Amino acid sequence: MSQYLLQMNGIVKSFGGVHALNGIDIKVRPGECVGLCGENGAGKSTLMKVLSAVYPWGTWQGEILWDGQPLKAHSISETEAAGIVIIHQELTLVPDLSVAENIFMGHELTLPGGRMNYPAMIHRAEALMRELKVPDMNVSLPVSQYGGGYQQLVEIAKALNKQARLLILDEPSSALTRSEIDVLLHIVRDLKAKGVACVYISHKLDEVAAVCDTISVIRDGKHVATTAMADMDIPRIITQMVG
Ligand SMILES: Nc1ncnc2c1ncn2[C@@H]1O[C@H](COP(=O)(O)OP(=O)(O)OP(=O)(O)O)[C@@H](O)[C@H]1O
Ligand SMILES: [Mg+2]
């Protein structure tokens, strides 16, 4: 069996005539955190949307191997079932639903007979928010009652509630405070220790350097280099990003 959990080989994705991805290769081992770095428009989010089947198999070229086997997913529910969970750059919450309902969207806990098990969902949502160090959040309130940073934490809780083998974090910290970012980095380290792999995308290279084992840089839809963080520093990442 492959030592890699994930291999993406020669991924090409076009929008009309525009080549957003032009033959990208990346690999991730179990428990490894790969920092995916590149300037605005380099293709980071597009690559992760290919992986999570936001862009289904057949709408891009190349090959994805998951646990050494070809992955040809048609929907996000298929990739989630495989253990690929993405926290998107854009918030995907439903403003009028409660924090707990948002966390369990599409994965609702039910009672025998099929009715919603709200007490169990509220209990679990509270535990997740405690883990994220926001114990004061009322998970029964509409998520729109909370500001951008809290909503980003709800997105993270929603992802943590799924059984990820690979967690993709696409700019997870843009609306977070310093102490919230520290909690997030701590959680990522915990997940790594449990063998969960991560792809971490952030323009904040200090975060990337703090948590990632490996840095893959892409530029203009092409792979530039993949280097162990131990052999890297922030100025070298920037040099690779800008070319
Ligand atoms: N749905 C789309 N339709 C057309 N072009 C798109 C679409 N999504 C992305 N692109 C283009 O593909 C390229 C890569 O975009 P992408 O969003 O993947 O970049 P990124 O590396 O995530 O950038 P950022 O750091 O700003 O988030 C850009 O040129 C972008 O304009
Ligand atoms: Mg992006």
Side-chain angles (χ1 to χ4, degrees):
M1 210 180 78
S2 163
Q3 60 168 319
Y4 291 104
L5 177 61
L6 171 71
Q7 293 171 264
M8 297 181 81
N9 298 324
I11 304 295
V12 174
K13 170 72 186 167
S14 308
F15 296 103
V18 181
H19 288 297
L21 304 177
N22 229 321
I24 295 206
D25 305 317
I26 69 160
K27 296 174 181 179
V28 187
R29 296 180 182 85
E32 181 183 29
C33 185
V34 173
L36 187 57
C37 298
E39 293 194 286
N40 292 114
K44 306 178 296 292
S45 296
T46 304
L47 185 66
M48 292 301 104
K49 287 176 180 172
V50 165
L51 172 57
S52 54
V54 171
Y55 301 133
W57 183 73
T59 66
W60 42 268
Q61 290 85 52
E63 173 189 57
I64 300 177
L65 298 178
W66 180 248
D67 257 346
Q69 300 298 316
L71 181 71
K72 300 176 178 178
H74 298 94
S75 67
I76 301 182
S77 49
E78 269 180 62
T79 54
E80 280 192 351
I84 298 168
V85 175
I86 185 165
I87 302 173
H88 285 286
Q89 188 166 6
E90 319 80 35
L91 295 177
T92 62
L93 304 173
V94 182
D96 294 339
L97 293 184
S98 72
V99 169
E101 285 169 319
N102 268 285
I103 290 174
F104 282 93
M105 172 96 64
H107 300 262
E108 290 82 1
L109 301 179
T110 51
L111 294 161
R115 280 194 307 123
M116 294 287 177
N117 190 347
Y118 286 113
M121 287 192 270
I122 287 169
H123 187 76
R124 174 75 183 134
E126 284 171 347
L128 283 163
M129 296 323 294
R130 271 200 304 278
E131 199 181 326
L132 287 164
K133 305 279 187 281
V134 271
D136 53 334
M137 195 174 222
N138 182 343
V139 301
S140 300
L141 285 180
V143 77
S144 58
Q145 303 271 308
Y146 289 100
Y150 274 50
Q151 292 196 11
Q152 209 163 29
L153 291 166
V154 173
E155 287 281 1
I156 293 164
K158 186 175 158 184
L160 293 177
N161 192 43
K162 297 168 187 166
Q163 292 302 310
R165 296 180 67 201
L166 175 79
L167 181 64
I168 302 161
L169 304 102
D170 193 351
E171 298 285 352
S173 67
S174 51
L176 301 185
T177 63
R178 185 65 246 176
S179 62
E180 288 166 345
I181 291 171
D182 288 340
V183 171
L184 174 64
L185 296 182
H186 182 80
I187 287 171
V188 170
R189 288 194 192 95
D190 262 9
L191 289 171
K192 279 168 49 172
K194 291 175 189 157
V196 176
C198 297
V199 175
Y200 197 96
I201 300 174
S202 178
H203 288 282
K204 298 178 187 162
L205 296 179
D206 57 329
E207 285 170 29
V208 172
V211 82
C212 295
D213 307 294
T214 310
I215 306 295
S216 280
V217 176
I218 63 175
R219 187 168 69 231
D220 297 331
K222 295 189 195 75
H223 177 252
V224 175
T226 293
T227 317
M229 188 58 221
D231 300 326
M232 271 297 224
D233 52 33
I234 290 174
R236 290 172 76 176
I237 299 174
I238 294 170
T239 303
Q240 289 187 352
M241 283 169 54
V242 301

PDB file of all heavy atoms in Angstrom, residues 48 56 68 137 145 162 175-176 237:
ATOM      1  N   MET A  48      -8.144  22.542  -4.108  1.00  0.00           N
ATOM      2  CA  MET A  48      -8.848  21.887  -2.999  1.00  0.00           C
ATOM      3  C   MET A  48     -10.317  21.616  -3.343  1.00  0.00           C
ATOM      4  O   MET A  48     -10.919  20.685  -2.814  1.00  0.00           O
ATOM      5  CB  MET A  48      -8.722  22.738  -1.731  1.00  0.00           C
ATOM      6  CG  MET A  48      -7.308  22.799  -1.191  1.00  0.00           C
ATOM      7  SD  MET A  48      -6.642  21.154  -0.771  1.00  0.00           S
ATOM      8  CE  MET A  48      -5.518  20.827  -2.141  1.00  0.00           C
ATOM      9  N   PRO A  56     -16.643  18.052  -9.598  1.00  0.00           N
ATOM     10  CA  PRO A  56     -16.679  16.588  -9.609  1.00  0.00           C
ATOM     11  C   PRO A  56     -15.711  15.989 -10.627  1.00  0.00           C
ATOM     12  O   PRO A  56     -15.258  16.674 -11.553  1.00  0.00           O
ATOM     13  CB  PRO A  56     -18.124  16.268 -10.013  1.00  0.00           C
ATOM     14  CG  PRO A  56     -18.872  17.544 -10.003  1.00  0.00           C
ATOM     15  CD  PRO A  56     -17.892  18.664 -10.081  1.00  0.00           C
ATOM     16  N   GLY A  68      -3.996   5.092  -2.118  1.00  0.00           N
ATOM     17  CA  GLY A  68      -3.437   4.330  -3.234  1.00  0.00           C
ATOM     18  C   GLY A  68      -4.444   3.938  -4.299  1.00  0.00           C
ATOM     19  O   GLY A  68      -4.060   3.375  -5.330  1.00  0.00           O
ATOM     20  N   MET A 137     -20.644  30.651  24.048  1.00  0.00           N
ATOM     21  CA  MET A 137     -21.535  30.734  22.891  1.00  0.00           C
ATOM     22  C   MET A 137     -22.849  29.999  23.173  1.00  0.00           C
ATOM     23  O   MET A 137     -22.837  28.884  23.678  1.00  0.00           O
ATOM     24  CB  MET A 137     -20.835  30.108  21.694  1.00  0.00           C
ATOM     25  CG  MET A 137     -21.496  30.447  20.382  1.00  0.00           C
ATOM     26  SD  MET A 137     -20.486  29.796  19.058  1.00  0.00           S
ATOM     27  CE  MET A 137     -20.540  31.154  17.917  1.00  0.00           C
ATOM     28  N   GLN A 145     -26.422  35.938  14.779  1.00  0.00           N
ATOM     29  CA  GLN A 145     -26.254  36.776  15.961  1.00  0.00           C
ATOM     30  C   GLN A 145     -24.776  36.983  16.297  1.00  0.00           C
ATOM     31  O   GLN A 145     -24.449  37.796  17.144  1.00  0.00           O
ATOM     32  CB  GLN A 145     -26.912  36.117  17.186  1.00  0.00           C
ATOM     33  CG  GLN A 145     -28.385  35.819  17.024  1.00  0.00           C
ATOM     34  CD  GLN A 145     -29.235  36.996  17.453  1.00  0.00           C
ATOM     35  OE1 GLN A 145     -29.067  37.519  18.548  1.00  0.00           O
ATOM     36  NE2 GLN A 145     -30.125  37.409  16.576  1.00  0.00           N
ATOM     37  N   LYS A 162     -17.069  16.157  11.729  1.00  0.00           N
ATOM     38  CA  LYS A 162     -17.043  15.077  10.737  1.00  0.00           C
ATOM     39  C   LYS A 162     -15.769  14.280  10.972  1.00  0.00           C
ATOM     40  O   LYS A 162     -14.776  14.807  11.464  1.00  0.00           O
ATOM     41  CB  LYS A 162     -17.067  15.672   9.318  1.00  0.00           C
ATOM     42  CG  LYS A 162     -18.351  16.452   9.059  1.00  0.00           C
ATOM     43  CD  LYS A 162     -18.274  17.275   7.795  1.00  0.00           C
ATOM     44  CE  LYS A 162     -19.507  18.168   7.677  1.00  0.00           C
ATOM     45  NZ  LYS A 162     -19.351  19.218   6.652  1.00  0.00           N
ATOM     46  N   ALA A 175     -10.538  35.797   9.850  1.00  0.00           N
ATOM     47  CA  ALA A 175     -11.355  36.633  10.735  1.00  0.00           C
ATOM     48  C   ALA A 175     -11.076  36.369  12.217  1.00  0.00           C
ATOM     49  O   ALA A 175     -11.804  36.848  13.078  1.00  0.00           O
ATOM     50  CB  ALA A 175     -12.836  36.412  10.433  1.00  0.00           C
ATOM     51  N   LEU A 176     -10.032  35.589  12.515  1.00  0.00           N
ATOM     52  CA  LEU A 176      -9.789  35.203  13.915  1.00  0.00           C
ATOM     53  C   LEU A 176      -8.798  36.139  14.598  1.00  0.00           C
ATOM     54  O   LEU A 176      -7.912  36.709  13.959  1.00  0.00           O
ATOM     55  CB  LEU A 176      -9.254  33.768  13.988  1.00  0.00           C
ATOM     56  CG  LEU A 176     -10.132  32.658  13.402  1.00  0.00           C
ATOM     57  CD1 LEU A 176      -9.505  31.299  13.674  1.00  0.00           C
ATOM     58  CD2 LEU A 176     -11.548  32.714  13.972  1.00  0.00           C
ATOM     59  N   ILE A 237       9.931  30.825   1.293  1.00  0.00           N
ATOM     60  CA  ILE A 237       8.575  30.550   0.797  1.00  0.00           C
ATOM     61  C   ILE A 237       8.130  31.695  -0.118  1.00  0.00           C
ATOM     62  O   ILE A 237       7.612  31.477  -1.217  1.00  0.00           O
ATOM     63  CB  ILE A 237       7.565  30.374   1.961  1.00  0.00           C
ATOM     64  CG1 ILE A 237       7.955  29.186   2.854  1.00  0.00           C
ATOM     65  CG2 ILE A 237       6.144  30.168   1.411  1.00  0.00           C
ATOM     66  CD1 ILE A 237       7.083  29.032   4.106  1.00  0.00           C
TER      67      ILE A 237
END
